[in-house]
C-alpha cells in the first residue's frame, strides 16, 4: 500500500489510471468509513482514500486539536481492505499559504448544520474541491450520515461542472441504532447508552409520517422536547425535502428527517430518509 | 472544425486527448486573441478555444448586452488557425440554474480592477474554474493585457490545486501602442487617436523608473493629472509588485505599472512590466 504525503508523488502514482474512486476521510476510521471504502472497491479497481483533518471545517471553539488522529491503525484497516493508495498530506502540503480562495455557498449551506456551525460547509466544500483537483477521481463516495454535506457536495459538482460522480453510502449503525461516528468515542458509558435515543427519536418521526401524520411542526417540537427531557441539548430535529434539502411543507414528498443534539460536550448528528407514504400503500 | 455547444459532446470529443491547451475568450476575436491561440498551437496539438460572454463578470450597469458577439467571424478566424475544437455554449448550458457556488477571492481581487469593478474577478474566477472542469486542459493561455486577471487565475490554480499550467501571452498592440481590445471598437476617430496615450503614459513611467526615479507616488499622480488634462477620466495609474500584485514600495523589485481610464463611455486598461534597474546596469 502506498501512503503518499506529497501531491506530485500522488499524481505520478495515479497517472494513467482509469476509473479512480475516491473516499475522503479525516481518519480515525470506523466501520462506517470502511463500508464506504468497500463500496468504492466494488465500483473501481483503483481506490484512493485521503486522511486529512481539515482545519477549515472546524470552528474556532471546536475540537480540531483533540480530534482523534490514528494514522497507523487507519492504514492497517485500509491495507486489510486492499486499498492501494492512501493520501495523507500534512497541513503544509494542502495549505502552504493561508487558503484565501474559498467557496461561497448557496443558502442551503446556512440551515441545519450550517446554522449551528457557520463556515463548516465552506471549509468542507473547499477541501473537497482541492482534493478532487489533486486526485481527479472519476467517482467519490460520501456517507449519508453527513446528509447535508452529501447534498452540498452534489450541488457543488453540478454547479462547478466537476467531472466526478458522487456516490452515496448508507449509514452504518451500532446494534442499538446509533450511527457510527468518530465522535462517539468521546461518550462515557452512560452517554453511550443514551446516545441511541437520537436515532430512536428520528425513527419514531419516520414511522409517524409513514402512518399518515402530517403535522411536521408538532412532530419536530415533540421530538425535541422528549430529547431535552432525557438530558439532551437539541440543536435541531427537522423534516426536509430530500431534493432541495429545504424544510418540508407537505407530507407527499421524498423526505428526510435530520437531527443534531448534544450529550454534555459531545455533539451527535443523524438522519433518516423517509419514503413517501404514497409508495407504501 | 468542431463547434460544440454541449458539455457532454465536448468531453466526448476530448476523451483520450493528451496535452490539451485551452484559450478562454468572450469572442469578438482580434489579433490579441489570435496571438494567444498561435501560442497555444505551438504548445499543443489539441487546442480548445471557448467563446462565451460571461454574465457573471459584468456589473449591472456594464455593457453585457451590447458586448460584441461575432461567432461566425470568430469561427472563420479560428478555422484559419487550424483550431479543431471550439466550445461555444449558451447561458443555459453553463448556468442551467442560477450560479450559487461562487469563489471567494483574496484581497488582491479588491484592488485595481476589483476596486472599480466589484465582483468582476469573482465572476472571472468562477467561470474559469467551471471551464477548466469542463475541458480539463493541461495548459491554459491568458493574456498579460488583463494582468490582474492572469495573477488571480494563477493564484486560484495554486490555491485550489488545479491540474493546469497557466501560460502568459504578451499583449498585442496597434502600431501606435494601443493594446488591442474588443472595447476599442467603441471608440470614435478622435478617441481612437487619443487612446494610445494610456500606453504612452505607462511607457513614460517605465522609462523614468528605469532611469532611477523612485518617487512612485509622484509618478502616479503626475501621470493621472496629465491624462485628466487630455480629457481622460482616470480610475488608476498604479505601480505594483509583479509577484504579489500589491502596491510597490521600493524600486528594486520586479514591477508592473497598471492603468485604467475612460474616454467618454469607453473604459480602457493597459499595463507594462518593468525590469528592475539592477538587471539593466
Amino acid at each position: 500500500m502506498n501512503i503518499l504525503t506529497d501531491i506530485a508523488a500522488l499524481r505520478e502514482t495515479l497517472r494513467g489510471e482509469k476509473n479512480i474512486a475516491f473516499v475522503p476521510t479525516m481518519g480515525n476510521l470506523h466501520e462506517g468509513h470502511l463500508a464506504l471504502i468497500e463500496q468504492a472497491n466494488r465500483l473501481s479497481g483503483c481506490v484512493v482514500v485521503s486522511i486529512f483533518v481539515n482545519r477549515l471545517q472546524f470552528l474556532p471553539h471546536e475540537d480540531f486539536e483533540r480530534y482523534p488522529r490514528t494514522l497507523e491503525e487507519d492504514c492497517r484497516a485500509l491495507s486489510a481492505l486492499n486499498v492501494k493508495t492512501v493520501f495523507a498530506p500534512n497541513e503544509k502540503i494542502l495549505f502552504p499559504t493561508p487558503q484565501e480562495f474559498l467557496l461561497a455557498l448557496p443558502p442551503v449551506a446556512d440551515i441545519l448544520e450550517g446554522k449551528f456551525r457557520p463556515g463548516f460547509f465552506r471549509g468542507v466544500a473547499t477541501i473537497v474541491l482541492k482534493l478532487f483537483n489533486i486526485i481527479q477521481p472519476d467517482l467519490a463516495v460520501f456517507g449519508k450520515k453527513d446528509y447535508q454535506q452529501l447534498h452540498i457536495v452534489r450541488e457543488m459538482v453540478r454547479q462547478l461542472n466537476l467531472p466526478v460522480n458522487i456516490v452515496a453510502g448508507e449509514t452504518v449503525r451500532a446494534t442499538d441504532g446509533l450511527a457510527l461516528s468518530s465522535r462517539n468515542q468521546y461518550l462515557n458509558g452512560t452517554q453511550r447508552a443514551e446516545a441511541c435515543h437520537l436515532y430512536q427519536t428520528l425513527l419514531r418521526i419516520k414511522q409517524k409520517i409513514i402512518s399518515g401524520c402530517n403535522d411536521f411542526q408538532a412532530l419536530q417540537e415533540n421530538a425535541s422536547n422528549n430529547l431535552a427531557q432525557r438530558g439532551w441539548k437539541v440543536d435541531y430535529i427537522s423534516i426536509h425535502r430530500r431534493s432541495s434539502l429545504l424544510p418540508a411543507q407537505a407530507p407527499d414528498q421524498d423526505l428526510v428527517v435530520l437531527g443534531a443534539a448534544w450529550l454534555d460536550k459531545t455533539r451527535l448528528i443523524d438522519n433518516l430518509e423517509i419514503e413517501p407514504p404514497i409508495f407504501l400503500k
Side-chain angles (χ1 to χ4, degrees), chain A:
Chain A
M1 187 170 73
N2 280 319
I3 304 170
L4 299 163
T5 56
D6 178 73
I7 293 171
L10 179 73
R11 284 190 172 141
E12 187 55 35
T13 298
L14 297 177
R15 186 194 299 274
E17 287 286 355
K18 310 273 184 216
N19 194 32
I20 297 172
F22 173 44
V23 185
T25 82
M26 298 211 298
N28 195 240
L29 304 180
H30 51 63
E31 292 296 324
H33 298 105
L34 302 184
L36 301 181
I37 292 159
E38 286 171 337
Q39 191 169 353
N41 270 336
R42 288 192 295 273
L43 294 167
S44 164
C46 176
V47 172
V48 179
V49 175
S50 69
I51 296 178
F52 181 68
V53 183
N54 170 35
R55 188 187 290 270
L56 296 181
Q57 72 192 64
F58 287 79
L59 271 68
H61 63 276
E62 287 184 342
D63 56 349
F64 174 74
E65 296 299 342
R66 74 164 184 149
Y67 195 88
R69 288 158 172 90
T70 54
L71 185 62
E72 274 191 41
E73 286 168 63
D74 294 344
C75 286
R76 272 198 294 278
L78 294 173
S79 184
L81 291 181
N82 284 317
V83 170
K84 297 281 189 308
T85 309
V86 177
F87 182 48
N90 65 27
E91 287 204 280
K92 284 236 168 102
I93 295 290
L94 287 191
F95 307 127
T97 56
Q99 184 73 29
E100 298 175 310
F101 283 80
L102 297 160
L103 280 169
L105 305 188
V108 71
D110 297 327
I111 62 172
L112 301 169
E113 288 302 288
K115 180 175 166 192
F116 289 93
R117 304 179 70 189
F120 170 69
F121 287 118
R122 162 174 288 214
V124 168
T126 302
I127 199 72
V128 168
L129 180 61
K130 282 168 69 80
L131 290 169
F132 281 0
N133 289 337
I134 290 168
I135 294 164
Q136 297 173 256
D138 296 274
L139 65 94
V141 186
F142 288 79
K144 288 188 182 177
K145 163 75 158 45
D146 294 288
Y147 203 86
Q148 192 177 7
Q149 169 178 287
L150 170 64
H151 178 86
I152 287 171
V153 168
R154 278 197 162 131
E155 268 300 289
M156 175 176 80
V157 163
R158 188 179 71 77
Q159 289 200 24
L160 295 182
N161 306 99
L162 286 157
V164 53
N165 287 316
I166 303 301
V167 176
E170 295 300 327
T171 300
V172 178
R173 300 180 179 283
T175 48
D176 65 351
L178 175 65
L180 298 195
S181 163
S182 294
R183 292 189 168 101
N184 293 350
Q185 66 195 264
Y186 300 153
L187 302 168
N188 65 27
T190 319
Q191 291 167 339
R192 174 61 192 83
E194 175 60 28
C196 67
H197 285 280
L198 178 57
Y199 167 72
Q200 297 294 341
T201 297
L202 300 180
L203 190 59
R204 264 193 304 279
I205 289 178
K206 174 172 173 164
Q207 288 161 344
K208 283 179 181 161
I209 291 175
I210 287 177
S211 63
C213 175
N214 60 14
D215 186 348
F216 290 175
Q217 194 66 30
L219 285 174
Q220 293 167 175
E221 282 173 17
N222 290 340
S224 292
N225 291 339
N226 290 341
L227 280 174
Q229 279 168 14
R230 301 187 64 95
W232 296 68
K233 185 174 97 47
V234 178
D235 279 351
Y236 59 82
I237 300 287
S238 196
I239 302 160
H240 289 246
R241 301 189 62 168
R242 276 196 244 169
S243 55
S244 64
L245 217 64
L246 298 179
Q249 308 297 338
D252 55 340
Q253 296 165 337
D254 277 6
L255 299 174
V256 56
V257 55
L258 306 101
W262 297 76
L263 279 175
D264 193 23
K265 293 198 166 69
T266 304
R267 189 173 185 276
L268 301 177
I269 66 170
D270 201 353
N271 67 82
L272 282 177
E273 292 179 328
I274 304 172
E275 301 307 319
I278 194 167
F279 294 145
L280 296 167
K281 284 173 182 168

